Amino acid sequence: MATLRELWEEWLRLDMRPKTRVEIQKLVERGDTEELERRLRPRISFGTAGLRARMQAGFARMNHLVVIQTSQGLAEYLLKNVPDAKDCGIVIGRDGRHDSHLFAEMAAAVFLAKRFRVWYFDKVVHTPMVPFTIDDVGAAAGIMITASHNPGWDNGYKVYGQNGCQINSPEDKSIAAYILDNLEPMENLEPIHNGHSTHDRALLVDASIVFVPKYYARVSDLIFAEPYSLKLPSFVYTAMHGVGLPFIHESLKRIVVCDARSKHMKQSDVVHEIMYIVESQAMPDPDFSTVQYPNPEEEGALDLAKEMATNEGISLIFANDPDADRFAVAERVEGEWHQFTGDQVGVLLGYYMSTFNSHLKGMMMLTSAVSSQMLAKIGEVEGFTVEETLTGFKWLGNRSMELGDKVIYAYEEALGYMLPVIVHDKDGVAAAILFLEACARWQSPWSKLQKLYEKYGYFETRNTYWRCDDHEVVDSVFAKIRQDVSDLSTDRKLERLRDLTCGTDSGTEDNKPILPSDPNTQMITCWLSGNEYDDGIRFTIRASGTEPKVKLYLECQSRSQANARIGASEMLKIINATWFGDKRLVLEKKYDLS
């Protein structure tokens, strides 16, 4: 193993950017070995989420040298594993974070130097534009520079495969190996500037000109309504300091023809009547200056939108996260704001899709293993199949590709919704446009949700998380759970336990899980029996792969809303008291556990 001195000397040898060289030099001069250790090792690992880390100098962080090394390894992987990779090319997009422009330029420079065609988005785009373009041009792969809804000091490098889906195992491990074999930066790399390069002009293609309009056309095809047949409801929109506004606005312009007002008014005037924008959060702001965390799920994230909606007398709020692949909704009902969970929006969209696709034989939808079981219940009654995958759209997207056209929709509870006719990944813009049309038919999505509960049963979720930076504390939580789930002080019977870390499942004949297991990922699911008040509880506890969090997904099912809520709330209190007593585990301020 290299010494710390060898690591910093290697960094200073390789890093040609003054800003990050100085960072390491100052740490060396101060003798700050603790910080040097954090910055230089272990090396940032490339996984199915690509890269994501704090933007700082060092091999363990996100910076331009790491981007160059990663791009060199990815390029070599593609050359060895994808036929005609250079001609197929690579798609590169970016969000509005600090250094996203630099990282995208350096990635493009590497691929141009290796004579790849580069489909390059010179302006910020929402994440789904990258897989959309891969599908359209048949690119060998795609890169999106983004850290999604992480804090402003983070950035990331997200990779899509030739099929337009996020890469999955074992592809990530192969790419990681190629990266380690290509750490020496290429000589005379020429970064592109403002979409231009000294390389052969035929290799660098401005992707925005062709593919953004194509995307809008595809989104407009989602709408089921005839021209002038509906009145779209007004909503307040927040881009959460991200890139979503132009994509929502232009998509709305394309579909507003379904609104009856378009028959007598200019479409731009109709859009103005429908969409109210939270101006202080409308444009990309890499510091996310009005929110603590730029995630619509976080407490307080929608406060400015609620204030504006209340003042304007509008009952709907739509929100995207900063890279606009997620979508959130809130509705004011009888003077009180209700923020929909990802499961609630997911179920509503799935139900809406099912009503217009009931003619499709063998229709299927997908959800993740931590999402609500309600959509599957609706499928049982209405005659379509819902299949579960592991968490994340690397699983949902690839499984959808395997199953083909019969999959019309997929979602996971973390505000992600996939419409395969557009992309095999979550898309917060397409989801928002489809949901807006559904709201025009339902009048109130909250009221529609209550009707679905009355018909199919109440599925009450208590999804939350504990923040913790200490891996030993996190590991101890899962050790306690495995030691004895019966530590839970409850009269419910444990009916089934699935441990996808250890690869066991008491609910199958051979005690092996149907879903893939992974010893490097902590994930345990328990099914508990019902009682005289409800029909049972399922909960999953897993360690996040992209954030320092332990996440809980808990759901109680009952024919009574009150009983479902009581069952879910009581079990959350029991779980917190039993396994999460360590003060280093900081619970999200979402539910009252007193």
Side-chain angles (χ1 to χ4, degrees), residues 47 326 362 466 538 577:
R326 288 176 170 84
W466 292 261
R538 182 180 78 171

Side-chain angles (χ1 to χ4, degrees), residues 44 57 59 234 344 387 446 479 498 511 517 531:
I44 183 173
F59 298 121
S234 296
Q344 290 170 336
E387 181 180 306
W446 188 257
R498 181 179 65 201
N511 288 329
S517 57
N531 53 33

Side-chain angles (χ1 to χ4, degrees), residues 11-12 15 17-25 27 35-36 38-41 54-66 99:
W11 176 269
L12 294 173
D15 185 12
R17 190 184 183 206
K19 178 183 176 181
T20 41
R21 280 183 61 85
V22 167
E23 284 185 43
I24 297 299
Q25 284 173 335
L27 292 173
E35 183 61 17
L36 283 166
R38 284 191 287 268
R39 298 286 195 94
L40 295 169
R41 65 181 167 200
R54 198 178 188 106
M55 287 176 281
Q56 291 177 316
F59 298 121
R61 298 290 193 259
M62 273 296 295
N63 49 69
H64 95 297
L65 175 59
V66 165
D99 283 348

Side-chain angles (χ1 to χ4, degrees), residues 423-458:
V423 289
H424 287 83
D425 196 21
K426 56 185 177 290
D427 186 343
V429 172
I433 294 301
L434 186 64
F435 198 82
L436 183 65
E437 184 199 17
C439 289
R441 298 178 188 275
W442 298 333
Q443 304 305 313
S444 164
W446 188 257
S447 296
K448 183 63 179 180
L449 181 64
Q450 306 317 305
K451 291 177 182 177
L452 296 184
Y453 283 146
E454 291 168 8
K455 182 174 181 180
Y456 302 107
Y458 292 89

Side-chain angles (χ1 to χ4, degrees), residues 7 459 480:
L7 286 173
F459 292 75
K480 289 177 186 175

Side-chain angles (χ1 to χ4, degrees), residues 71 110 174 182 215 223 250 317 336 377 384 402 467 560:
S71 300
V110 169
S174 296
N182 290 274
Y215 172 82
I223 300 304
E250 289 299 316
I317 292 171
E336 181 180 352
K377 180 64 175 181
F384 61 88
E402 291 170 2
R467 285 189 179 273
S560 159

